[in-house]
Amino acid sequence: MNVQDVVSKVNWEAVLGELDEFGMAPTGRLLDGQACLELRKLYDQEAHFRSRIVMQRHGFGAGEYKYFANPLPHIIAGLRQGFYQRLAPFANGWNERMGLDRRYPPDLDAFLAECHADGQAKPTPLLLKYGPGDYNCLHQDVYGAHLFPVQLVILLSEPAKEFEGGEFVMTEQRPRMQSRAEVVPLAMGEGALFAVNDRPRAGARGDYRVKMRHGVSRIRHGERFTLGIIFHDAK
């Protein structure tokens, strides 16, 4: 598949508008069923990964995930490059609105070079695997001082047919207000962009910051695979 075609077919005006308003936005279908299955098959091929995390051991929830090693599989590297290029100007706009000096270069390689220079050199794209009873606690994927404020998730399993439950959930913590939750329904091959940590929110007196967290609800039946693409690397 041509990854650049996949990226270019996203309705970027609508997606970025929804991302700005709500802190998350579905992208529509990014991968066909065959591509999803091929990515899932990688999970048992240890040569593709640098580490395996069992969530229960760390209090993260229940289930497991594996971080890819370099070089990343072609399709993942292409999606990471293509989405970063579209998102970098948007991320710079968010930082400006939040009063942050950090600006992101237009190319992913340049951004990763900055991460690596400060010791964040481990690749962060990952495959997540959930079985019955598994879940992912609300969290933020922060791996060091260098943080890109948006990340991408793609569902690799078919809801209702391969698993039940396992909804992708986001919460927004607003100053002096109760948190707001949102469930993001996805079909197999569909993606969503969402805020990693802080994001600006327009208010009556200008922009203010809200803190975002994401997680996955309990799997009631079956098995669920997800591809996560984080744009900053880890220490």
Side-chain angles (χ1 to χ4, degrees):
M1 66 183 297
N2 188 317
V3 178
Q4 292 306 314
D5 286 347
V6 171
V7 176
S8 65
K9 287 178 181 178
V10 173
N11 185 342
W12 283 102
E13 182 178 0
V15 167
L16 293 180
E18 189 165 349
L19 180 61
D20 188 50
E21 184 173 358
F22 299 108
M24 62 71 51
T27 64
R29 192 174 179 87
L30 300 176
L31 302 176
D32 60 25
Q34 184 61 37
C36 291
L37 291 174
E38 291 299 321
L39 285 170
R40 283 160 52 170
K41 289 178 183 177
L42 297 180
Y43 200 85
D44 294 326
Q45 301 175 30
E46 295 301 325
H48 289 288
F49 301 97
R50 65 174 178 85
S51 66
R52 171 176 173 263
I53 305 297
V54 177
M55 295 188 200
Q56 293 96 320
R57 296 175 184 170
H58 305 276
F60 296 163
E64 62 180 60
Y65 54 89
K66 294 181 179 180
Y67 287 108
F68 282 96
N70 284 323
L72 298 174
H74 173 75
I75 188 171
I76 297 174
L79 288 170
R80 201 183 191 206
Q81 287 273 0
F83 269 82
Y84 176 89
Q85 290 175 355
R86 297 281 186 155
L87 290 168
F90 176 86
N92 285 335
W94 264 10
N95 279 4
E96 182 176 359
R97 289 169 58 189
M98 290 188 291
L100 301 176
D101 293 333
R102 181 68 163 101
R103 296 296 180 268
Y104 303 98
D107 181 74
L108 177 63
D109 289 339
F111 173 58
L112 292 179
E114 295 175 1
C115 292
H116 297 175
D118 279 349
Q120 290 181 224
K122 297 178 181 178
T124 49
L126 69 165
L127 279 183
L128 302 101
K129 178 182 177 182
Y130 302 90
D134 290 347
Y135 63 96
N136 197 345
C137 296
L138 293 169
H139 66 283
Q140 300 164 321
D141 294 308
V142 178
Y143 298 111
H146 294 275
L147 181 148
F148 193 77
V150 181
Q151 67 191 69
L152 172 66
V153 63
I154 304 174
L155 183 62
L156 303 180
S157 301
E158 188 171 350
K161 183 177 180 180
E162 294 187 292
F163 71 94
E164 295 177 0
E167 294 86 2
F168 182 74
V169 180
M170 290 209 67
T171 62
E172 176 185 270
Q173 184 180 346
R174 298 169 291 177
R176 299 178 299 281
M177 299 176 70
Q178 292 183 335
S179 296
R180 182 180 70 88
E182 185 156 354
V183 175
V184 186
L186 295 174
M188 185 177 184
E190 292 184 345
L193 291 166
F194 58 95
V196 174
N197 188 359
D198 294 335
R199 74 172 183 92
R201 183 182 173 107
R205 300 181 179 178
D207 291 318
Y208 62 96
R209 291 192 202 184
V210 294
K211 191 168 292 292
M212 310 295 294
R213 289 182 171 82
H214 63 279
V216 173
S217 69
R218 176 173 55 89
I219 306 292
R220 294 176 176 83
H221 174 75
E223 194 171 60
R224 178 188 190 272
F225 285 87
T226 309
L227 170 65
I229 297 182
I230 300 163
F231 297 100
H232 48 274
D233 278 349
K235 286 190 175 181

